[in-house]
Every structure is written in C-alpha cells, then in structure tokens.
C-alpha cells in the first residue's frame, strides 16, 4: 500500500476505535457488536506490527489496560488510582493459541515434566471492579477505568453487595488483613435483565441492548438509589493488594479464601490439569453456555501457583500467566434487505427481516424475527439499515439494534399493514394490542397452507413427499381447501401438478393413504389446536384414550388431567366447539382416517427424547450400547450420523466432527451430565 494511503487508513481505524470506545465506556451505548470491534483492533494491530514506523503511544491498541478492557474514566465520578494496575487479558479464539500459551508457560517456568495446574473460570461479560476492605469493611469500590485510574463507585457497590460489605471471619486460618483488595466482575443475570427491560418498556423508558450494557448503566449511576433498583450481581475472581496478612500461595486457594470471607465466587471455577484440562473445560462451558443464568463470552485459564505467576509477570497489557479463550460471537453486523410479513397457522402476523447472510452463533443466518409492530417502531428498523443481529443457542435470531450512523439516505419508516397481506382481511390485535392476527381464519390462504403443512409434518401425520412447495401448489390450484381434502385427491390430480413426475405422484398418493392409520396423539397434534404441542397431545391421548374422550370433556374435566392448565383446556374446548373444525374432523374420519388406540401402559417412558432422533458421539462414562438402550427405553430413535433431522447430539469426551456438525446445523448438544439428568427425569 502507498504510504500516504496507509497512514490515512491507520488514522481512520484509530478514529473509529476512539469513537466506539467513547460509545461503549462513556455513554454505555455501543453501536457495534464486540466481534466487529475486535476485527478493527485486529486489522489495526496487524498494520502497526507490519509498519512499526506508524506505531504510536496514542494508538488505542497501546493504551494501558487494553482498549476495550477499561476505557477512560468519566468526569462525573471522583477518580481512584489503582495501587496495582487493573490489567486486561490476552484473548485467544483458536485452540492452537492456547497450546502456544501453555507451551510458553512451561518454558518460562522451566517445567520439563508433568502438567501445569491451572484454574479455569468462566469469562463473565460485565464490568471489572476493585473492592477495598479495611479491617473487614468495604471502604472503596472502583471501576477499572483505563487500568490505572477508575471511577469511585463505592456508594453504588454497597447496594450491589447488599449484606456483604463486611467480610466474614474466615473459617480458614488466615486472619482478616488490614487491607484486602478483591477484584471481580459486576454483571446482570439474564432473568433480571429480561425483567428490567420489561419494566423499562412498561414505564416508557429506554430498554437495554444486552445484560452487559444494562449492568454498566446500572453501576455508573450518580444516584445509588437508581443502582439499587437495578438487579446487579458480582462474582469475585482475583486478589489485588493485601496488607497485614500472607496471601495464599495458589490462585485456587485465593478463590477459596475470598469465598470463605463471604464474597461471591462462581461455582463454575475449576482446577484443571494442563492443556487437556483447559480444552475439556472450554467445551463443557461452551455446551452449557445457553443454559447458564448469565452471559459469558469465553473462559479464562490462570496458572494457579502464585510464585509462577510472579515469575511469568506481565506484558504491557496483560499477564503472561492467564489467557482468555473466547467463544464464537453471538452478535454480528449485517444489513436488512427486506422486511416481510409472515402469517402463521393461527393467523399470527410476524414481521421478519430478510438479512444479508451473516455467520453468527455458529450458523449462517439470513432471517431474523422482528417480533411485532411495536418492536419495529421501538427499533425504528428500516430496509437498507445496518443492524446488529443476535443468535444465542436455539433462540430464533433477532435484530437487537440499528446502527443509525450507517443509515443510508432516503430510507422510509416501515409501515405495519392494517390488512393481511395474503387474504386482505383486517388485522386484529390481542394481548394488550401486541399480538397481531389475520381475522381471515381458514379463509386465508396463508393460514390454510400453514395448517396443511403442519398436518402433513413429520411429527404429525408424517406424509412423506408433501413438502411446503407441494402444499402451496395444491392450495393455489384450488385442489384442496382443508386437510380433509387431501384424502379425496386422485393420483391423476396429483400428477397434474407442475413439475410432478408420475412416479412421485404415485408415491405421494400412497403416502397420503398410508397416513390414514395413525395414533390419536399424532392426530390431535396434527389438528393444530392452539397451545396443544406434541407433549400435550400425548398427555391427552394417554389419559382420554379416544377422540370422543377428548371432544366430549368439559373444560373442568380437562383440567383434572395432570399438566393441562386452564388456558390449554379452554383452547381445546373452543377448538372442538367450532362447527368448521367439527366438520373437518368428520370429513377426515369418513375418509378413513383410523386412530389406533394408545396402549394404556406405555412401554417407552416419557422424556424429552420421546419420538426424537438422537446421535451419540465421544466417550461416555457408560458403554455406547448402554447409552443406546437407555435412549431407546425413553422413546428415542438412535442414529449414527448427524443431519438436520437430528434432534439431539450427546457428546462425551473427545467428541469430534459429529459435535462440530451438530453445532453447524444448530442441533441441540447435550453433555453427559445433562443427558443423564434428562434420562433420570423420565
Ligand atoms: S482476571 C490480570 N478473570 O475480562 C487479570 N477477568 O478481558 C485480570 N473478566 O477486565 C482479569 N471474567 O473484566 C479475570 N474470570 C475472570 C474474568 C475476567 C471476566 C473480565 C475482566 C477483565 C476482562 C479482560
């Protein structure tokens, strides 16, 4: 690159980082996801490494404490100088970087044999704080700031610590020191975050993009009463300055000491041995990530021996004795190509954003839900906007925020339609006006199609070959108007569909015929009664045994069945009261649909695995065939390869490509502990 251009590029990158640092630390309102920020840092660092003549102490890559780890102290709080700087951690994304880290540690401490004892911890996604206790009393709390100077947030921290501003006398022999500095992370639990956003919304106040921002905003309030109203938590993860007592000689003992003094330390921390222990821990937490009560963005490995920590020391920014191993990003930037309205089986209207495909949360995402009209208004999301999308676990990807500074000219606010885009019936509102529904019922082609697709689906009547496209054709060509019409179709009619080979027509005809013999549970599920999923359909079938048994029960009687609540009972009753639904059921029965009676005592125990396709991989504590038997006794089908039809993959130690594939396809992964918990739940 020409040196003039290069200089311009470096300056531009630095300016971008300054801007994003300001939004993140001072305004608590970041505009881009961490993943995008990390990429800018990476690009800039690479350029600065390659062209040392352009390096500068002013560069955001050089600031003590790391650019994204602290940020400048704001002017609204008094300043605190950290007696021991609060440093950042080096980040790694690849296994190879962790292997290098471990090798460097062993070289530097001259360990020729055996493994290093590490402590592995979750990398909490919150804000670093320092707490100073004098003779057991909290006297000062501070944010990390730029690593050297932070903000004095003592008053606010008292509300976070609630009853814990005085240390407990330790059960361990070490006395309470004159001065004890403990460092940790303030964060917000996911359920607290959701509740906070609900109440902010209700009060017409600004909602937060993610728990980290909500925590940052909550902690840096000038009025401690406001902080007190924000549900913040803390986990401590390190000692700072200690005066008047001999600190423990390992990190593991330090954590135990901190805990024994009454301060919160996460139970997820674990002593591990060597590189294998680190990587197994990483995998374990990655599997648990979505079910944890708080967000973590990776794990941290720390050399446990303090004498080794001391001899390893620090680089300008981070300790050589610790390393953060980051998880794949769950938030990414992309562009909105279009906003479309989807009409569901029961008429529910959902706006969906069509996205420029983006790799996030382990899969490529091209659609994200916009939930409802209110959400579109709140986000003010428009076609052409650059947005942040989030995909965490099995949750449907969603748009979390719009990057207003990147909005192109001439965009238009999205107008939520007043009429169903498919059948033009008026849209009506339910549930405090948030849930929009097409009032066209089964006259609406969209609802018709969705209900037929659901009827034919694998877990319902399981009609092979009747995919979405075929249903669309059949309804568009007016060959069928409801699910019962499927059974009046002739082979000739089916063969007359566009792009339908004769053989496929014959196969589909047979598949439809075959589906007539089914179980009561499948049939009930296939009808698409609102609130009746597979499990409820099975419960109804097991308890009432016949279709008449289900249709002839009062709401009250239905509620006597375990697991059937008043809402579900009402929904079932309302469904069977509709003359149209009764008509369709009569048509189905006279077309020859035959419901086999459920066995009273079920052979398979009910569990989350009932009717599911499961793949086993890696080494489990039990033999493969034992695991298979267990699963089969819980109603699962056990197969050997992972595909999009797989429901669960159970991973043991050293799981290889199958686990990777499951992740790519977004198939739910269970580790052995969760697998056993579910099996024992049956
Ligand atoms: S130790 C000298 N342990 O990550 C090392 N930090 O990227 C000090 N963090 O500023 C940090 N969980 O805010 C440590 N278990 C953990 C952590 C953790 C989250 C944060 C902390 C730190 C940042 C560095």
């Amino acid at each position: 690159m020409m040196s003039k251009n290069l200089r311009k590029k470096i300056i531009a990158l630095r300016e971008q980082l300054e801007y994003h640092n300001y939004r993140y630390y001072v305004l608590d309102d970041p505009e881009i996801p961490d993943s995008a920020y990390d990429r800018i840092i990476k690009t800039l660092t690479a350029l600065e490494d390659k062209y040392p003549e352009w390096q500068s102490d002013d560069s955001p890559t050089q600031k003590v404490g790391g650019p994204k780890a602290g940020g400048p102290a704001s002017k609204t709080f008094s300043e605190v100088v950290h007696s021991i700087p609060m440093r950042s951690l080096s980040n790694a994304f690849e296994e190879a970087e962790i292997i290098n880290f471990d090798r460097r540690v062993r070289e530097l401490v001259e360990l020729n044999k055996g493994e290093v004892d590490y402590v592995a911890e979750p990398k909490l996604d919150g804000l670093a704080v320092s707490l100073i206790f004098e003779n057991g009393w909290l006297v000062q709390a501070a944010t990390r700031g730029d690593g050297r100077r932070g903000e004095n947030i003592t008053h606010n921290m008292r509300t976070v610590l609630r009853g814990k501003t005085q240390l407990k006398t330790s059960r361990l022999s070490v006395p309470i020191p004159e001065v004890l500095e403990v460092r940790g992370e303030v964060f917000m639990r996911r359920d607290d975050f959701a509740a906070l956003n609900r109440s902010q919304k209700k009060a017409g106040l600004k909602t937060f993009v993610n728990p980290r921002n909500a925590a940052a905003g909550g902690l840096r309030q000038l009025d401690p009463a406001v902080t007190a109203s924000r549900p913040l938590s803390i986990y401590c993860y390190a000692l700072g300055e200690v005066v008047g007592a001999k600190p423990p000689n390992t990190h593991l003992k330090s954590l135990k000491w901190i805990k024994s003094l009454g301060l919160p330390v996460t139970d997820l921390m674990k002593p591990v041995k060597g590189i294998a222990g680190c990587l197994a821990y990483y995998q374990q937490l990655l599997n648990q990530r979505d079910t944890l009560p708080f967000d973590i963005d990776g794990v941290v490995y720390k050399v446990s021996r303090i004498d080794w920590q001391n001899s390893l020391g620090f680089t300008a920014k981070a300790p050589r004795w610790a390393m953060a191993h980051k998880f794949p990003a769950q938030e990414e930037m992309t562009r909105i190509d279009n906003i479309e309205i989807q009409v569901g089986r029961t008429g529910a209207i959902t706006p969906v954003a069509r996205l420029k495909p983006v790799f996030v949360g382990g899969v490529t995402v091209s659609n994200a839900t916009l939930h409802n009209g209110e959400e579109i208004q709140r986000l003010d999301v428009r076609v052409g906007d650059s947005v942040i999308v989030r995909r965490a676990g099995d949750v449907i990807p969603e748009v979390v925020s719009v990057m207003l500074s990147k909005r192109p000219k001439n965009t238009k606010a999205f107008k939520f339609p007043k009429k169903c885009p498919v059948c033009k019936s008026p849209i009506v509102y339910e549930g405090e006006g948030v849930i929009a529904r097409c009032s066209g019922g089964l006259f609406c082609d969209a609802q018709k199609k969705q209900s037929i697709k659901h009827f034919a689906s694998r877990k319902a009547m399981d009609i092979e070959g009747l995919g979405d496209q075929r249903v669309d054709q059949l309804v568009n060509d007016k060959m069928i108007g409801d699910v019962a019409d499927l059974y009046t179709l002739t082979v000739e009619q089916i063969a007359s569909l566009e792009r339908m080979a004769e053989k496929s027509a014959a196969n589909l005809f047979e598949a439809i015929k075959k589906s007539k013999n089914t179980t009561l549970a499948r049939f009930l599920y296939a009808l698409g009664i609102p609130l009746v999923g597979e499990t409820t359909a099975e419960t109804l079938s097991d308890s009432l045994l016949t279709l008449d048994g289900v249709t002839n029960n009062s709401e009250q009687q239905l509620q006597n069945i375990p697991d059937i609540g008043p809402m579900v009972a009402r929904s079932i009753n309302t469904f069977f009261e509709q003359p149209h639904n009764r008509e369709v059921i009569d048509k189905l029965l006279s077309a020859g649909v035959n419901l086999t009676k459920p066995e009273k005592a079920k052979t398979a125990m009910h569990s989350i695995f009932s009717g599911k396709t499961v793949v086993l991989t890696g080494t489990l504590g039990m033999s493969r065939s034992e695991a298979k038997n267990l699963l089969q006794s819980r109603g699962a089908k056990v197969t050997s390869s992972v595909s999009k039809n797989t429901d669960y993959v159970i991973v043991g130690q050293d799981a290889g490509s199958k686990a990777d594939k499951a992740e790519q396809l977004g198939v739910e992964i269970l580790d052995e502990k969760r697998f056993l918990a579910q099996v024992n739940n049956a």
Side-chain angles (χ1 to χ4, degrees), residues 205-240:
L205 298 169
K206 167 182 168 230
T207 55
F208 298 94
V209 170
N210 56 37
R212 205 215 82 95
N213 286 315
L219 194 60
R220 297 169 69 232
Q221 286 291 331
L222 287 175
D223 178 0
V226 178
T227 306
S229 71
R230 300 281 167 83
L232 296 172
S233 310
I234 181 170
Y235 276 135
C236 300
Y237 52 62
L239 286 176

Side-chain angles (χ1 to χ4, degrees), residues 152-168:
N152 188 327
I153 48 152
T154 314
H155 291 305
N156 292 348
M157 210 51 225
R158 284 189 203 288
T159 72
V160 178
L161 285 168
R162 290 176 205 104
K164 302 192 186 81
T165 50
Q166 188 192 6
L167 299 178
K168 282 199 309 201

Side-chain angles (χ1 to χ4, degrees), residues 46 61 65 74 128 173 203 235 243 413 436 451 463-464 476 519 527 531 586 616 638 662 681:
T61 57
S74 81
S173 54
Y235 276 135
V243 179
S451 65
I463 307 179
E464 220 183 303
N476 291 345
T519 62
L527 290 175
L531 305 182
D586 286 343
L616 291 158
V638 181
N681 244 344

Side-chain angles (χ1 to χ4, degrees), residues 69 87-89 121-124 128 144 185 237 300 302 319 321:
R87 288 190 168 84
S88 178
L89 288 168
E121 301 168 15
K123 186 168 192 307
L124 300 154
R144 97 177 260 140
E185 194 87 348
Y237 52 62
V300 185
K302 298 175 182 170
W321 44 263

Side-chain angles (χ1 to χ4, degrees), residues 488-504:
T488 63
L489 286 172
T490 62
V491 190
E492 292 74 28
Q493 278 178 309
I494 298 175
S496 74
L497 291 174
E498 233 174 273
R499 294 183 308 279
M500 173 67 92
E502 229 164 81
K503 179 97 179 71
S504 320

